[in-house]
Amino acid sequence: MRYSTLDGPDTSLAGFAHLSAIVGPVIPVFVYLSRRNDDAFVAKEAGKAANAGMAFLAAFVIATLVEMYVPLVGFLGRLAQLAILVAAVFLCVHAFRRVRRGAPTSYPFQIKVVNKDD
């Protein structure tokens, strides 16, 4: 289902939730909690953003632990950190652009932080 900017939900808040998922799941969770009873589109998209932000954060923590504690291949952890950052920015900006047009979006991987109806 597509929404137009005139009759649809607050796509700017949903887009903000997706952009803020780059730095983690905290801001999208706050957006989800604040809008879950008012706007179903924003709540659903903020839930997706929170789940993706948690996946990015978990992967970044694992890459950091590899960098710090695995001898001789710690540089792979640094490369993984860079790859995770690039992927997070690309996926979140892509989701932001889709949501701002009023179309629902999805991520290729998620860790369920916010349990929502899909």
Side-chain angles (χ1 to χ4, degrees):
M1 177 177 207
R2 293 183 63 94
Y3 294 99
S4 71
T5 55
L6 298 176
D7 62 351
D10 187 10
T11 59
S12 61
L13 192 57
F16 173 71
H18 281 288
L19 281 182
S20 64
I22 294 171
V23 295
V26 176
I27 296 172
V29 167
F30 284 140
V31 171
Y32 171 78
L33 292 175
S34 68
R35 300 297 292 200
R36 67 180 167 188
N37 296 328
D38 299 333
D39 195 346
F41 180 75
V42 174
K44 192 169 197 175
E45 293 302 319
K48 291 177 189 178
N51 292 339
M54 187 63 191
F56 297 142
L57 183 64
F60 196 83
V61 166
I62 290 170
T64 302
L65 291 175
V66 167
E67 178 190 4
M68 291 172 54
Y69 295 114
V70 178
L72 301 176
V73 292
F75 69 94
L76 292 177
R78 179 66 56 113
L79 291 176
Q81 287 175 339
L82 181 62
I84 291 164
L85 181 63
V86 168
V89 168
F90 175 77
L91 291 172
C92 290
V93 168
H94 176 70
F96 167 77
R97 294 182 70 201
R98 264 185 75 87
V99 166
R100 286 293 290 155
R101 288 191 303 252
T105 188
S106 64
Y107 290 91
F109 47 85
Q110 296 180 0
I111 295 176
K112 296 289 184 180
V113 175
V114 175
N115 191 9
K116 63 196 177 330
D117 299 326
D118 280 334

